[in-house]
Amino acid sequence: MFGDYEAQRHWQEITYNLPVREWYFNTSDNDLSYWGLDYPPLSAYHSLICGCIAQIINLEWVQLHKSRGFESTTHKLFMRTTVLVADILIYIPAIVIYCLWLNDGTVKRKISTLLCFLIYPGLLLIDCGHFQYNCVSLGFALWAVLALGQGQYALGSMAFSLALNYKQMELYHALPFFCYLLGKCVEMGLMGQGLLVLLRVAVTVLVTFAFCWLPFLSDPAQTLQVLRRIFPVARGLFEDKVANTWCSLNIFIKIRSILSSDFQLYLSVACTFLAVLPSCIRLLMKPTFWQFKLALVNSSLGFFLFSYQVHEKSILLVSLPVCLFLNDLPLMSVWFLQVSTFSMLPLFLKDGLLVPYVVTSLAFLFFSISLLSPLEHCSEEELALRAYHKLLFSKMDLAWIVKWKFYFSILSMACLSIASVTLSPPTHLPDLFPVIVSTFSFLHFLGTFLYFNIVQFSALPSKKRQKKNK
């Protein structure tokens, strides 16, 4: 149905032409089976703003019914411009402040980290090539991280509530925010200042949600319909070839055939809960900013690997917290970010983004290695594995092992990318290359999940990061 480009355009058409009460309901003017709106209210308001601007430039872009399937170079330019505006207003300022204010190191090191953060190809390709606005929800989430890092708990809660009301997938980050704030309140004392902070945060969250949902709160039917649309559990456990546990396991055990839909849902919920529980308990018991950032990685990656109805684009929710470690853990961060982009290769090929994929991936790899020198920072101490070195690696040269695994991984991704483009799969295995890409990426993601959990249960890697422990 013309892809996500049409989905975003259609939402602008619907929100501009129809009253709010019809946005999430199936009517003669709003066919929910054709890219029906399935994001929270704040995302719908953003579509409305873009639709209002679009109709001023060219009414054909959002004309009810008649604009279905519309596509033009000018309109694509408009859509990409709206992404750029969102980047400039929300996402980029948060990155700049984080890299220059909350990072350690020289000015050169901070600017290098900033550049690598900005040119992460996964988000660039999805938002500007696949046509989405992940920069808005991720930008709000990053503002929330900044606020919490400065002890502004109410502001952080408001920013994260906005992120959650823009895209429901921000639930991937919700548990770390909850545990960090609760842990801080307990640390301050629930019979004193901690209780006041907790009440302030609770009121802030309730007011922010009420403000975002205001048009839908007067009628319970409206509220329930919005919830049904943004949590479509009937769609099944997974879609397409996603680099998570269920898609990889389905190669050998046909989960969809042997398990009922309800059992698939219960199983994914249980596995997700068990996957993120250790990280959240650790954060609750030790609510430091360093632990909070690690929990964001572990929670989001746990959700991606085990939760229900995961899309390949959801890896961006893991990539954001991993980007926060470009300065502290450069090798593992650069490695993961490169694999996360590669994991979406089938989607990029479907959208005709081969050249942008190659150019942005090579650019990110070149600049990250040149500016951050990740291959020079792979000792057990710099990988935050000193406490586990003897247990896990005995007398082996950890730096040598990690370097060669990195080289092999990059070479494998290059070969698989070339093969996906130049070779035709066997007729009886039409999805051979997407399956290989997703399985290869899954193994990397699983390794990253184990690594960041080990780091979270370790001491701080070095004294220079002590200020992040506050």
Side-chain angles (χ1 to χ4, degrees), residues 161 199-212 217:
S161 295
L199 291 174
R200 194 180 302 126
V201 167
V203 171
T204 301
V205 170
L206 290 173
V207 170
T208 305
F209 267 80
F211 179 78
C212 292
L217 294 178

Side-chain angles (χ1 to χ4, degrees), residues 323-367:
C323 282
L324 303 181
F325 290 95
L326 279 168
N327 181 52
D328 301 301
L329 303 170
L331 179 59
M332 299 306 294
S333 300
V334 169
W335 194 351
F336 172 85
L337 294 172
Q338 201 72 38
V339 176
S340 70
T341 303
F342 170 75
S343 72
M344 297 182 281
L345 175 61
L347 180 63
F348 297 145
L349 294 180
K350 190 183 298 184
D351 288 341
L353 296 174
L354 174 61
V355 174
Y357 161 74
V358 173
V359 172
T360 55
S361 296
L362 290 177
F364 177 76
L365 185 62
F366 172 77
F367 283 110

